Each structure stands twice: as C-alpha cells, then as structure tokens.
Amino acid sequence: MEKRVMTDSKRRRGLIAASALLGGVLVLSGCSDGDAKADGNGGDSSSQAKVDEAAAKKTSEAQIKITPKDGSDNASINNGTAVTVSKGQLTSVTMQTAEGTAVAGQISADKKSWKPTGQLQRATTYKIAAEATDSEGRTAHENASFTTVSPANSFIGNFTPEDGSTVGVGMPVSINFNKAITDKAAVQKGITVSSSSGQEVVGHWFSANRLDFRPESYWTGGSTVTLKLDLDGVEGASGVYGVQQKTVTFKIGRNQVSIVDAKTKTMKVTKDGKTIKTIPISAGSPENKTYQGQMVISEKFKETRMDGSTVGFTNDDGKGEYDIKDVPHAMRLSSSGTFIHGNYWGAKSIFGAVNTSHGCVGLSDTKGANDKNTPAAWFYDNSLIGDVVVVKNTGDKTIAPDNGLNGWNLDWAAWKAGSAV
C-alpha cells in the first residue's frame, strides 16, 4: 500500500515536470516566432520583397510613348503621330487602320523614335503597337488607338498661285477657306508670306472665308515669294481644326503693267517701266461701262465661251444677249465677268475708235485663236497670270477690291486695317 502511494506521487511530480518542460518549449517557440518579421496577414514580408525584387528585375526599363494618346479623336493627319522611347530602343512599330490596312513608317537611325512616312487620312481610326528593349534586353510593349479629324471638323485653304509658278507683279497670295473662320487671328498667325525682296507683306480678310496677302506696292520683279501654311491643329472655329502643313514658293516675273484708257481707246503696255507696245482697244459702251481701277489677270483661256445670261445680260426670253462659244485669247480680270479678250466678230474699224462691249476690254483678233499676228494674240502670249491691267476714264466706279484679285484698289492703311494680327 505504501509502495503504491509513493509511486503515484512520483508519477504526479513527473507529469508536472514534463508539463513545465513542454511549457518552456512552447514559450521558447513563441519567443522565436515573435522575433521573426511578419506581415499583417501572417505571411513573411521578406519573402514578398524578394518576389517583388525578382519581378522588378524582369521588367524592362524602356518607356514607350505614343502620340496621339490612346482614345484621342480629332487627331492630326500630318505630324501629330509619333512613337518615342526613353531608356531603351525601339525594335518594332506597326500601324494600321481599324480595317487592317498597314501604314508605312520608319524608325529613326538611333532607334529612339518612329513616324509614319505619309499623310494620314481624315476621319480614320488607326492602331499602333510598339515594342522596345532596354539595355538588359528586356522587352516593353505599348498600344494605342486614335481617330483623325473628320472633314466636318476640319478646314482647308485653297490658295493661289500654284507652287513653282511664275506670275506677274500684281499677283496676291489669295486663300479661300472651305469653312468660315471665326478665330481669324489664330489662323492668320499660322500663315506666313515672305519675299526675297524684303518687302513687308500683310494679310487682309475680305470675309470669314477669304484671306489675301500682298506688299504695299507691287512685288519686286525677279523676287521669290514663299507661302508657309502651318495650320495643322489650329482651331479656326469652334471644334473645327486646320490640317494643312505646306510650303509653297513662286517666282515674280518681269514687271508688266498695262494701262487701258477708255477715252483714247488704247492700251499702253509697259515692261519694267518702259512702254513696249500700244494697242487699239474697244472698252465698254456708254450703257455698259467697264469698271475702273487696278485689275489682275487671274485666268487665261486660249478660247472660252461667253454667255451673257451668266452675268445678267439677258433678253426678254431669258436668254443671253450674246452667247459666243469661242472667244479667243481671253484673260479674266474680275470674278463678275470682266475680261480682256480677242474680238473677231466686230469690225476692225471699231478698235481705237468706238467703245462697244458689254464691259470687257476687246482687242482685234481672228476666229480660231491661231493667228499669232493679231494684237490679241500678241498680248495673250506676252502676259502672265498676275500681270496688272489698269483701266481708267470709263466713267464707271472703281472695281471692288474683292471682285477678283484686285486688292490693290485699297490703299495701304485700309489694307492693313483688314489684318487680324
């Protein structure tokens, strides 16, 4: 009995000691866990940091930028599209329309940029995919999609004279916009006209759609005039943007000015200040006087049709008072229908003697426009678009400066007053 009791007592002490030892182990384990770095979720943050570091090592440092930005509309069709990269080099750029038509482009020699090689189409959606690598050879990708400006949201300016042409000293730069311009200053600032002669050139708005440029006096003969259109992205009216980016040059020829005197019924042709020919003419009749003033030849036709009904000369039946289908050597002086042209239907005796026309200036000619020996043929062959024809002593009013290319009928102060800048 005594032996059994001692045994139970020893057993109890052994269990207590074992429990204490186990508790010590547990406490020790708990202290060990407390010294470790743990994240808020009970995970090992040092392990996560290693994962992030490893991921960062795999990510390219190359940073690709696509212009226009993804989702843009009203994007430029000219120089607004580009792909550039920093901390790397471009390895591939593809551009195509939404329908899959490829757009040609070229990566620069240093592989830092890419641009399309041609002009884009208006109202078209394009997609660009670009790839680049950094110094470690790691690859980066970027994609963007954008839509170019639509015809409804853009404007263009139709200009004269043509690039590379040679014109007379009176030829203004005339720009007609296909939409009304409300921010004239912004548009005019995007256009520059300069001359190799150093003449000051100023713009004048005749309307919301027309802007002309000229110097104070006629262009200097032999000079070169440069027109620069930098209208891409210029907002000419609310939500309406320019799309043109173009440089045009033209040459000014010899200084030829012809003076038509309706009283003496002659035309004196001067070249570089010297009279080179005097030609008998027939101007507008007393009932249909010819406009007076400085007029510029804007078009030339070896033969053309002239129908009186198109300019208000009609009979009671509504048909034109005249309809000549083969007027020879015709050169336009106004938008309203004033020409200087050959006349084969009138008697030769009227030239230099009687004013008989409906407002045009007539020169003796023959039917068919093939006789080089007529006064009209000579004047036609020796005239340039842009030459000046000054008409005087007709008894009529001075032609409106916006009727044709005839802004020279405004003095310099009035011309400059029409500038928006």
Side-chain angles (χ1 to χ4, degrees):
M1 182 67 181
E2 180 67 21
K3 182 178 180 179
R4 183 170 61 248
V5 171
M6 289 179 65
T7 302
D8 289 344
S9 178
K10 288 180 180 179
R11 183 180 295 114
R12 284 195 296 271
R13 289 197 299 269
L15 289 171
I16 291 170
S19 177
L21 178 60
L22 181 58
V25 171
L26 289 173
V27 171
L28 180 61
S29 297
C31 289
S32 177
D33 288 347
D35 288 341
K37 294 180 180 178
D39 61 21
N41 297 318
D44 188 341
S45 62
S46 63
S47 298
Q48 184 61 48
K50 291 178 180 179
V51 171
D52 292 342
E53 183 181 357
K57 289 181 178 179
K58 294 179 181 179
T59 301
S60 177
E61 292 185 349
Q63 297 178 3
I64 302 171
K65 180 181 178 181
I66 298 177
T67 306
K69 66 180 181 180
D70 187 42
S72 298
D73 56 12
N74 288 331
S76 166
I77 63 173
N78 294 293
N79 295 332
T81 301
V83 179
T84 58
V85 64
S86 59
K87 298 182 181 180
Q89 292 184 327
L90 292 171
T91 55
S92 173
V93 178
T94 60
M95 180 175 180
Q96 61 183 19
T97 65
E99 292 74 26
T101 302
V103 176
Q106 187 172 9
I107 295 176
S108 63
D110 62 4
K111 297 183 180 181
K112 293 291 186 181
S113 63
W114 174 95
K115 286 185 177 182
T117 53
Q119 189 181 63
L120 306 183
Q121 299 297 313
R122 286 191 282 181
T124 303
T125 298
Y126 291 94
K127 297 180 179 181
I128 294 180
E131 178 182 289
T133 57
D134 63 10
S135 60
E136 299 297 324
R138 295 169 296 192
T139 303
H141 298 271
E142 193 68 46
N143 296 274
S145 176
F146 61 88
T147 302
T148 52
V149 64
S150 68
N153 293 324
S154 60
F155 71 88
I156 61 171
N158 298 302
F159 57 85
T160 189
E162 296 179 0
D163 186 30
S165 60
T166 298
V167 297
V169 296
M171 188 69 188
V173 172
S174 185
I175 305 171
N176 286 274
F177 299 102
N178 67 336
K179 290 185 175 65
I181 302 301
T182 56
D183 194 342
K184 294 179 179 178
V187 171
Q188 189 173 336
K189 287 176 182 176
I191 303 171
T192 58
V193 180
S194 59
S195 172
S196 62
S197 67
Q199 291 173 279
E200 179 187 11
V201 184
V202 176
H204 180 98
W205 289 88
F206 283 114
S207 69
N209 294 81
R210 178 177 170 184
L211 172 63
D212 285 16
F213 289 83
R214 71 164 174 90
E216 182 175 5
S217 302
Y218 300 145
W219 301 104
T220 301
S223 61
T224 298
V225 178
T226 300
L227 161 66
K228 291 185 178 180
L229 297 170
D230 191 12
L231 296 173
D232 189 36
V234 174
E235 190 170 15
S238 180
V240 180
Y241 301 88
V243 296
Q244 288 169 297
Q245 203 159 35
K246 190 177 184 65
T247 299
V248 173
T249 60
F250 58 93
K251 184 84 172 180
I252 304 300
R254 72 289 175 275
N255 184 324
Q256 181 167 302
V257 178
S258 301
I259 297 92
V260 171
D261 189 332
K263 185 175 182 179
T264 63
K265 303 168 186 65
T266 59
M267 178 172 67
K268 182 174 65 175
V269 183
T270 67
K271 183 176 180 180
D272 298 324
K274 297 180 180 179
T275 300
I276 59 172
K277 198 173 185 69
T278 300
I279 301 174
I281 60 94
S282 180
S285 68
E287 298 76 25
N288 301 296
K289 298 181 180 70
T290 305
Y291 285 129
Q292 298 190 132
Q294 302 171 76
M295 305 184 204
V296 174
I297 296 173
S298 59
E299 291 182 289
K300 293 178 65 179
F301 306 95
K302 187 177 180 181
E303 289 183 286
T304 192
R305 178 183 180 183
M306 291 188 179
D307 181 354
S309 65
T310 64
V311 288
F313 292 109
T314 58
N315 294 316
D316 294 339
D317 58 4
K319 293 183 179 180
E321 292 181 12
Y322 58 87
D323 187 0
I324 305 169
K325 296 178 174 60
D326 58 352
V327 177
H329 300 119
M331 291 174 280
R332 181 183 292 277
L333 298 178
S334 78
S335 302
S336 61
T338 307
F339 281 78
I340 183 166
H341 61 77
N343 178 334
Y344 66 80
W345 52 90
K348 302 298 182 186
S349 59
I350 67 171
F351 300 102
V354 186
N355 292 323
T356 61
S357 81
H358 284 78
C360 291
V361 177
L363 312 178
S364 181
D365 209 340
T366 57
K367 187 177 177 66
N370 291 318
D371 185 351
K372 294 290 186 181
N373 296 315
T374 66
W378 181 91
F379 187 65
Y380 182 91
D381 291 342
N382 286 276
S383 294
L384 295 172
I385 287 176
D387 279 350
V388 180
V389 177
V390 181
V391 181
K392 63 181 185 179
N393 296 327
T394 68
D396 201 12
K397 63 184 179 181
T398 298
I399 192 167
D402 61 344
N403 186 358
L405 303 177
N406 299 322
W408 300 104
N409 294 289
L410 287 175
D411 64 30
W412 191 230
W415 182 268
K416 293 177 77 172
S419 174
V421 298

